[in-house]
Amino acid sequence: ASGAQGPALVEGVGLGMAGADSDDSLYPIAVLIDELRNEDVQLRLNSIKKLSTIALALGVERTRTELLPFLTDTIYDEDEVLLALAEQLGNFTMLVGGPEYVHCLLPPLESLATVEETVVRDKAVESLRKISHEHSPVDLEVHFEPLVKRLASGDWFTSRTSACGLFSVCYPRVSSTVKAEIRQHFRTLCSDDTPMVRRAAASKLGEFAKVLELEYVKSDIISLFTALASDEQDSVRLLAVEAGVSIATLLPQEDLETLVMPTLRQAAEDKSWRVRYMVADKFSDLQKAVGPEITKNDLVPAFQNLLKDCEAEVRAAAANKVKEFCENLPEDSRETIIMTHILPCVKELVSDTNQHVKSALASVIMGLSTILGKDNTVEHLLPLFLAQLKDECPEVRLNIISNLDCVNEVIGIRQLSQSLLPAIVELAEDAKWRVRLAIIEYMPLLAGQLGVEFFDEKLNSLCMAWLVDHVYAIREAATCNLMKLVEKFGAEWAQNTIVPKVLGMANDPNYLHRMTTLFCINALSEVCGQEITTKHMLPVVFKMSNDQVANVRFNVAKSLQKIGPVLDSNCLQTEVKPVLEKLASDQDMDVKYFAQEAISVLSLA
Amino acid sequence: VNAPRGGVGGGNDFQWCFSQVKGAIDEDVAEADIISTVEFNCSGELLATGDKGGRVVIFQREQESKNRLLSRGEYNVYSTFQSHEPEFDYLKSLEIEEKINKIRWLPQQNAAHFLLSANDKTIKLWKISERDKRAEGYNLKDEDGRLRDQFRITTLRVPVLMPMDLMVEASPRRIFANAHTYHINSISVNSDYETYLSADDLRINLWHLEITDRSFNIVDIKPANMEELTEVITAAECHPHQCNVFVYSSSKGTIRLCDTRAAALCDRHSKFFEEPEDPSSRSFFSEIISSISDVKFSHSGRYMMTRDYLSVKVWDLNMENRPVETYQVHEYLRSKLCSLYENDCIFDKFECCWNGSDSAIMTGSYNNFFRMFDRNTRRDITLEASRENSKPRAMLKPRKVCTGGKRKKDEISVDSLDFNKKILHTAWHPKENVIAVAATNNLYIFQDKIN
């Protein structure tokens, strides 16, 4: 075990052994090995995660002959243990003696690749793919490829699904005879009896196509793609869509029309909404894969149809892609296509019956303004933005507001402000607190775009009203919002507009509001700086140290601890220290505790 | 001579024989022992029952032995486990019974077997697996379990796997909870093998078998105002081959077929199966007895069968306006509806099942009687699940209920039927003439004997 000595051995086992005997170093390893079968799954997991330590101690020979056979049959264990094992084995090549012996890792990974739990299988396949690169070309044909064949012709679909992910890694490195066999195996799996295997094959079709010679892509892959894309199960067909995108990138432009497009067109009009959804979801990739000409002739009408689909899920997925699709249109005809083909559909979506569709559109529609420029934005898009700002669904309004910056760059925000304000006010007072929370989060952004004057005039009162909201999360967010506003508008602005109002709340009869004053001070002291903190905030904090509610008093202690670093040392010693000392002898246990904590953190003891 | 597959027996093709009975003989039946669902797996090698005590018992068919030609694979207990425990919903102050409402097997995917079991609220995915090897050899303990002195460890021992007695383990793999406000009445695995649906009184949810934290609501018939509620969902099932098709039945005696391709929400059905009511037989009980208690697709996927209180109907999926076949299960009860209403029996939920080749159907009745109908010959038979004459391979005698005044020998009069003995749950082996019949706390297994 001499080769096993190293810091990794004792680390983590937690046994500080005073070793006189050299074999003492075996003890932690012995513990790890025994714990491979501990009843406590956490301990088993811990041992599996240190498998490399065990292997190092056993040496390459015993790892191959004893440890791996044991692990091969350990597939009874919990998923998380198996997952960890599958991952470990991907990094085990050196521990079994290097690339020469890497094939010893195949049996345990093979058994892991057949378990029912998808995450474990996927991890086993990932590790197999990893170690496939460490096989010599000969070993790949002697050991690895037979494993793939075994999995591919296994009785259970779990093993056949795993096989699907392994073809692409061995294909490029085997002889042409074996290549032909691999293609045949893949073909068989594409027409497997079970939909699970066909799904696995469909999802790996694109990846497999990438490693095939172009002639076989055209002959084999296209027919498989066509078959999978017209599978009876829509769960298979929808996976073929993505494969189609990958295949399209591999083919020369002149072949696309005959080999791929008929199938993709059919997918865009599939009877199942899930397949059409997939087409909508992959639309940008598809657009890039087929190039500008096909985009103009085929994808534009297809996209229009998806935007008008009868299923809301499909319309929402397509609406999400509106901006990206328009951006990627060929430049020479971009504006014409958008204005004549896309915009009419977009206009309809603005008043869609489904709120998810509208909110998906609202999250991207503002991006069109940069593409269309100032005049078109004012004439065509602005009415849509305004309509969406008045939408009944708060999420739609929020999505518009959260993307205001796109429009700001093109036409400035003033054009919108008349409609913006009522929308913001309404959201600010929405009955659902999550909606209020969302609009608060956009406040700093809005403030930046609208400018300080507009803000003071119209929005400041809203920000103050949130401080006394009856939901804590809103009050908390409002506090944070003030800090961000001060960062934007500066300390002087803070002193004139918000600090007096915040400090005024210190006299509120509701103790929750008095605490809000303290939370605001915590947030604001640093951005407002030493002068404002010392001169305006600190006296209020001191005064509150006499509050009759203990929660307020201990928050005073916490606040002092928080703002301490902003204050100068003289102030700390002469003013803060006496207050904290008084609080440290408070009747209330929590007040005492936090006062003492503040004293020690600020080193005032 | 091989009998044609299926058929209800009783003719000259084959006869049903007693094979086994499971469960206690006591007259006093513990509530928890009452069987609430029976289901064969896809190969018929395993048979699962669920009971009111939340337990699942799985029986495995013995390998046929050559020297015992006549015993053709008895079913023996393979695994027993507690699937659901009684719970209490503190928010609604409701007790949640542990009773297993439904069991559905998943298609076999590796050496282990998987099933879904559901009580009123929660669905669980169970794995039943075998273990026949055990690791041996510790570093820090010797063979007798005594600790070794840690300073005496001179070599490392890697555990070795040794054969051991077969152990069957059932482990919960997934728990699908918190998606049903009402009581789950059905679960059904989709033919895409990755999703399944679960139905309660008002909603149907679609789950992915690997995802427990969300499901998609595909049908919702809950009216905005519960006072306007006029019907509930009574059963739902996925089509055996077309992954996009499912049906659900309602308390009004109708069945809706939905296509999940058409829209994400299946509130609008694509087919609506309803038989026009016969005005002459209309009575106070018409609506109650037309409520469908079970719906099952045929294995072929061409037909479906529905069970209402008095009859079983077979529908061709291509014909919505009336069933292609109607079988009376116990028409003699029509005159007894009043008393059946008073003792609540009229609300009993009888299930029904197809044989492997869809040529015969079976459903339960009262007095531990169950009925079989041959679809080709239109022959029907009434059999009884009883311990009398329960010798191995004893032939089952057909039973007859007499309705008129004069009772013939071997007939039983309607008035002497025992309405506490009801056969609600039955299952038919997917390939052979082996049936499992749940009679209160006993599970009877019958099989054919070829003449």
Side-chain angles (χ1 to χ4, degrees):
Chain A
S2 60
Q5 283 169 341
L9 289 186
V10 190
E11 181 195 72
V13 181
L15 289 162
M17 304 222 318
D21 193 334
S22 66
D23 279 343
D24 286 357
S25 61
L26 290 181
Y27 181 72
I29 307 294
V31 172
L32 279 181
I33 294 176
D34 284 3
E35 283 182 352
L36 281 172
R37 324 184 251 144
N38 197 291
E39 276 179 28
D40 182 347
V41 64
Q42 273 312 318
L43 291 176
R44 292 204 302 277
L45 191 58
N46 182 49
S47 267
I48 286 286
K49 286 186 172 160
K50 298 211 172 68
L51 208 55
S52 54
T53 309
I54 297 174
L56 211 54
L58 290 170
V60 295
E61 175 84 35
R62 293 191 66 195
T63 298
R64 291 197 299 265
T65 55
E66 294 178 51
L67 185 61
L68 289 180
F70 169 68
L71 293 173
T72 304
D73 281 325
T74 323
I75 53 163
Y76 300 117
D77 214 324
E78 302 279 335
D79 303 334
E80 48 183 331
V81 176
L82 298 182
L83 183 67
L85 176 59
E87 186 169 9
Q88 290 287 315
L89 293 176
N91 303 315
F92 239 59
T93 309
M94 290 322 287
L95 296 162
V96 293
E100 200 182 331
Y101 293 99
V102 67
H103 59 85
C104 299
L105 295 172
L106 298 179
L109 283 171
E110 182 176 354
S111 68
L112 287 167
T114 63
V115 301
E116 69 279 356
E117 200 57 53
T118 313
V119 281
V120 177
R121 271 196 331 261
D122 287 351
K123 187 57 86 179
V125 169
E126 192 184 315
S127 288
L128 281 169
R129 289 168 69 112
K130 211 164 163 185
I131 63 167
S132 74
H133 302 297
E134 283 151 358
H135 282 68
S136 69
V138 175
D139 280 351
L140 202 70
E141 284 196 21
V142 176
H143 299 288
F144 197 88
E145 206 267 337
L147 159 106
V148 178
K149 275 193 211 158
R150 268 199 307 282
L151 287 174
S153 49
D155 283 342
W156 306 117
F157 78 80
T158 46
S159 85
R160 301 199 299 277
T161 53
S162 291
C164 293
L166 296 173
F167 294 118
S168 64
V169 289
C170 38
Y171 190 82
R173 300 179 56 210
V174 292
S175 69
S176 57
T177 340
V178 180
K179 276 184 176 175
E181 285 173 29
I182 290 179
R183 288 195 304 273
Q184 181 53 44
H185 274 293
F186 196 85
R187 251 199 306 276
T188 312
L189 293 181
C190 282
S191 53
D192 195 274
D193 285 343
T194 71
M196 290 76 93
V197 178
R198 296 201 303 276
R199 277 197 292 275
S203 65
K204 301 292 179 198
L205 183 65
E207 154 192 312
F208 187 54
K210 280 188 189 136
V211 299
L212 248 61
E213 298 79 358
L214 188 59
E215 51 172 313
Y216 294 119
V217 173
K218 286 189 197 174
S219 57
D220 284 30
I221 296 289
I222 294 297
S223 65
L224 295 176
F225 166 61
T226 315
L228 289 168
S230 47
D231 195 280
E232 55 170 19
Q233 296 252 347
D234 49 3
S235 60
V236 178
R237 294 203 301 277
L238 64 89
L239 289 169
V241 172
E242 207 173 352
V245 174
S246 310
I247 295 167
T249 56
L250 301 172
L251 293 172
Q253 190 71 30
E254 64 270 20
D255 289 327
L256 284 177
E257 183 50 48
T258 47
L259 297 181
V260 187
M261 285 316 292
T263 311
L264 285 175
R265 257 182 236 126
Q266 170 198 319
E269 288 166 10
D270 196 283
K271 223 180 157 184
S272 167
W273 70 269
R274 292 206 292 164
V275 178
R276 300 195 304 273
Y277 172 93
M278 207 62 174
V279 175
D281 195 49
K282 302 281 167 226
F283 218 80
S284 305
D285 299 333
L286 181 60
Q287 191 184 3
K288 282 175 206 151
V290 297
E293 274 315 302
I294 294 181
T295 296
K296 270 194 266 183
N297 301 334
D298 269 285
L299 296 195
V300 171
F303 195 60
Q304 283 176 295
N305 286 341
L306 292 171
L307 288 172
K308 292 186 208 150
D309 198 280
C310 58
E311 171 55 45
E313 298 280 346
V314 178
R315 293 199 301 278
N320 259 320
K321 302 286 168 191
V322 163
K323 182 191 159 206
E324 239 180 302
F325 180 75
C326 293
E327 259 173 1
N328 295 333
L329 285 169
E331 215 160 317
D332 54 343
S333 50
R334 184 189 292 157
E335 195 175 318
T336 330
I337 293 177
I338 298 177
M339 297 306 292
T340 53
H341 298 292
I342 307 299
L343 207 56
C345 302
V346 168
K347 278 182 185 156
E348 276 175 44
L349 290 185
V350 168
S351 49
D352 198 280
T353 47
N354 185 293
Q355 66 175 57
H356 299 295
V357 176
K358 287 189 290 187
S359 85
L361 181 68
S363 65
V364 297
I365 190 175
M366 309 288 267
L368 291 181
S369 50
T370 26
I371 306 171
L372 287 177
K374 191 170 172 183
D375 293 342
N376 280 329
T377 301
V378 172
E379 197 184 333
H380 298 285
L381 293 177
L382 200 56
L384 304 182
F385 301 157
L386 296 177
Q388 294 215 296
L389 274 175
K390 295 190 191 100
D391 198 277
E392 59 187 5
C393 164
E395 205 177 317
V396 175
R397 284 173 269 150
L398 273 174
N399 281 348
I400 291 290
I401 290 172
S402 63
N403 287 299
L404 278 176
D405 47 339
C406 317
V407 191
N408 200 12
E409 288 159 17
V410 183
I411 56 166
I413 209 163
R414 286 282 162 184
Q415 302 248 27
L416 273 176
S417 54
Q418 284 313 310
S419 307
L420 206 48
L421 197 64
I424 294 172
V425 172
E426 209 178 309
L427 288 169
E429 288 159 2
D430 197 282
K432 294 195 188 77
W433 68 268
R434 286 180 193 283
V435 174
R436 300 202 295 277
L437 185 65
I439 188 72
I440 294 175
E441 277 160 8
Y442 295 125
M443 257 322 158
L445 179 84
L446 282 170
Q449 315 241 314
L450 292 164
V452 68
E453 272 168 50
F454 187 92
F455 183 85
D456 281 345
E457 197 182 317
K458 316 273 189 187
L459 299 179
N460 194 15
S461 54
L462 283 180
C463 293
M464 288 304 162
W466 282 321
L467 288 174
V468 293
D469 197 284
H470 58 272
V471 175
Y472 177 75
I474 299 296
R475 298 199 297 275
E476 190 188 28
T479 317
C480 183
N481 173 44
L482 288 187
M483 184 184 78
K484 288 184 184 149
L485 290 173
V486 177
E487 280 171 357
K488 273 218 157 66
F489 294 150
E492 199 187 333
W493 173 82
Q495 196 187 339
N496 294 331
T497 37
I498 58 168
V499 172
K501 289 184 191 167
V502 165
L503 297 181
M505 282 165 57
N507 301 317
D508 198 287
N510 184 336
Y511 87 98
L512 291 171
H513 297 172
R514 298 203 294 280
M515 294 213 300
T516 304
T517 299
L518 290 171
F519 298 146
C520 287
I521 288 173
N522 294 349
L524 292 176
S525 64
E526 203 184 323
V527 280
C528 286
Q530 193 184 62
E531 202 199 322
I532 296 176
T533 307
T534 319
K535 225 164 120 190
H536 299 281
M537 298 181 183
L538 200 56
V540 176
V541 179
F542 287 154
K543 201 173 137 221
M544 293 172 86
S545 68
N546 297 316
D547 200 286
Q548 77 247 30
V549 177
N551 292 38
V552 176
R553 295 201 302 280
F554 78 62
N555 272 298
V556 165
K558 285 165 108 177
S559 284
L560 288 172
Q561 176 183 332
K562 183 93 208 276
I563 66 178
V566 183
L567 306 170
D568 68 38
S569 58
N570 183 32
C571 171
L572 276 175
Q573 286 297 335
T574 58
E575 298 184 58
V576 175
K577 189 177 170 184
V579 174
L580 283 175
E581 278 170 348
K582 193 186 76 190
L583 289 173
S585 57
D586 199 279
Q587 297 165 323
D588 187 275
M589 223 169 63
D590 294 322
V591 179
K592 271 195 223 171
Y593 173 82
F594 286 109
Q596 274 155 4
E597 191 183 73
I599 289 171
S600 92
V601 170
L602 296 172
S603 326
L604 293 175
Chain B
V1 180
N2 276 333
R5 251 214 224 146
V8 300
N12 46 17
D13 47 355
F14 71 86
Q15 296 221 276
W16 287 99
C17 309
F18 175 86
S19 172
Q20 286 174 282
V21 56
K22 310 279 181 187
I25 316 171
D26 295 352
E27 278 294 299
D28 285 344
V29 176
E31 179 79 7
D33 293 336
I34 296 176
I35 297 172
S36 53
T37 181
V38 186
E39 191 78 10
F40 279 103
N41 77 340
C42 318
S43 66
E45 288 308 296
L46 298 177
L47 171 64
T49 62
D51 65 25
K52 287 197 172 177
R55 285 161 304 196
V56 170
V57 181
I58 295 168
F59 301 93
Q60 186 188 37
R61 198 173 197 188
E62 292 274 289
Q63 291 301 312
E64 288 180 36
S65 62
K66 285 199 178 120
N67 37 1
R68 291 169 64 209
L69 263 177
L70 286 170
S71 126
R72 291 183 303 140
E74 293 197 331
Y75 284 83
N76 290 325
V77 175
Y78 181 61
S79 174
T80 303
F81 57 94
Q82 188 74 33
S83 170
H84 287 70
E85 301 276 358
E87 281 178 90
F88 193 79
D89 181 340
Y90 293 96
L91 288 178
K92 300 206 182 86
S93 284
L94 279 178
E95 275 184 69
I96 303 169
E97 278 184 283
E98 66 273 37
K99 178 188 154 217
I100 308 295
N101 292 341
K102 279 285 180 296
I103 289 177
R104 286 290 176 270
W105 290 91
L106 264 56
Q108 200 173 358
Q109 50 184 332
N110 58 12
H113 298 272
F114 292 81
L115 61 79
L116 291 168
S117 63
N119 69 349
D120 284 342
K121 300 283 174 189
T122 305
I123 304 148
K124 295 184 181 180
L125 174 66
W126 290 89
K127 174 185 180 179
I128 296 99
S129 54
E130 294 182 355
R131 181 185 287 213
D132 57 1
K133 282 182 195 145
R134 193 182 46 181
E136 280 182 6
Y138 280 100
N139 285 291
L140 306 179
K141 283 187 273 191
D142 61 22
E143 274 65 37
D144 305 320
R146 278 189 301 259
L147 283 181
R148 282 205 186 102
D149 185 345
Q150 55 167 298
F151 297 105
R152 302 243 166 137
I153 295 168
T154 51
T155 53
L156 291 171
R157 298 178 67 181
V158 176
V160 186
L161 288 160
M162 304 298 277
M164 65 166 190
D165 288 346
L166 183 72
M167 201 165 84
V168 181
E169 294 174 316
S171 47
R173 302 295 293 187
R174 304 251 193 280
I175 294 173
F176 306 89
N178 306 322
H180 284 281
T181 314
Y182 305 95
H183 290 179
I184 298 174
N185 54 45
S186 307
I187 44 178
S188 177
V189 182
N190 192 296
S191 63
D192 65 12
Y193 297 177
E194 71 176 352
T195 56
Y196 73 92
L197 63 77
S198 60
D200 66 27
D201 299 335
L202 295 178
R203 298 193 180 99
I204 301 177
N205 294 330
L206 185 67
W207 301 83
H208 193 286
L209 279 163
E210 295 189 351
I211 299 168
T212 57
D213 62 355
R214 62 179 172 246
S215 67
F216 294 97
N217 178 240
I218 49 175
V219 174
D220 187 349
I221 63 163
K222 186 173 182 239
N225 177 3
M226 279 297 264
E227 279 166 25
E228 289 160 20
L229 184 70
T230 57
E231 72 180 317
V232 295
I233 298 169
T234 53
E237 194 178 50
C238 293
H239 190 278
H241 315 302
Q242 287 170 299
C243 64
N244 50 290
V245 172
F246 70 95
V247 292
Y248 65 95
S249 60
S250 97
S251 54
K252 280 190 164 168
T254 59
I255 311 108
R256 289 173 176 83
L257 181 140
C258 301
D259 186 338
T260 55
R261 291 176 305 183
L265 268 174
C266 299
D267 284 343
R268 262 176 284 161
H269 52 263
S270 38
K271 287 190 181 187
F272 184 71
F273 298 85
E274 185 180 32
E275 184 171 35
E277 195 185 25
D278 176 5
S280 64
S281 65
R282 168 131 200 106
S283 76
F284 171 75
F285 303 108
S286 297
E287 200 168 317
I288 303 176
I289 61 169
S290 67
S291 174
I292 292 175
S293 51
D294 196 14
V295 57
K296 293 270 168 64
F297 278 108
S298 64
H299 297 85
S300 68
R302 168 79 188 267
Y303 302 99
M304 66 180 168
M305 153 168 70
T306 57
R307 170 73 207 257
D308 54 49
Y309 191 61
L310 294 179
S311 65
V312 185
K313 291 171 181 153
V314 175
W315 304 76
D316 186 326
L317 293 192
N318 302 319
M319 188 162 81
E320 295 164 61
N321 59 353
R322 61 186 166 83
V324 286
E325 294 154 35
T326 300
Y327 301 98
Q328 301 307 331
V329 178
H330 37 214
E331 185 63 16
Y332 46 78
L333 294 182
R334 198 175 278 280
S335 58
K336 299 263 162 222
L337 292 176
C338 207
S339 51
L340 291 165
Y341 179 75
E342 274 159 19
N343 65 11
D344 275 350
C345 279
I346 203 167
F347 300 106
D348 282 336
K349 292 192 175 306
F350 290 99
E351 293 173 7
C352 50
C353 62
W354 299 86
N355 72 340
S357 59
D358 299 334
S359 62
I361 56 190
M362 167 168 61
T363 190
S365 177
Y366 293 102
N367 204 50
N368 272 0
F369 287 174
F370 58 97
R371 301 267 288 148
M372 284 193 221
F373 306 95
D374 188 313
R375 297 180 57 212
N376 299 323
T377 62
R378 296 284 169 145
R379 247 189 341 231
D380 67 281
I381 191 170
T382 305
L383 297 170
E384 182 183 3
S386 106
R387 282 188 185 269
E388 281 170 54
N389 197 16
S390 61
K391 278 179 294 194
R393 296 185 299 285
M395 228 88 91
L396 291 192
K397 255 193 279 174
R399 303 286 173 178
K400 217 164 182 160
V401 178
C402 80
T403 45
K406 250 194 357 205
R407 193 165 68 91
K408 285 185 223 138
K409 191 173 166 275
D410 284 346
E411 283 191 351
I412 177 164
S413 106
V414 180
D415 296 315
S416 54
L417 291 175
D418 185 344
F419 289 101
N420 289 319
K421 291 182 175 170
K422 38 190 123 182
I423 300 217
L424 302 175
H425 316 284
T426 58
W428 204 314
H429 189 290
K431 292 173 186 132
E432 294 175 34
N433 281 323
V434 175
I435 54 172
V437 175
T440 319
N441 62 328
N442 289 130
L443 180 72
Y444 288 85
I445 297 169
F446 303 110
Q447 47 181 294
D448 62 343
K449 180 182 183 184
I450 299 152
N451 283 336

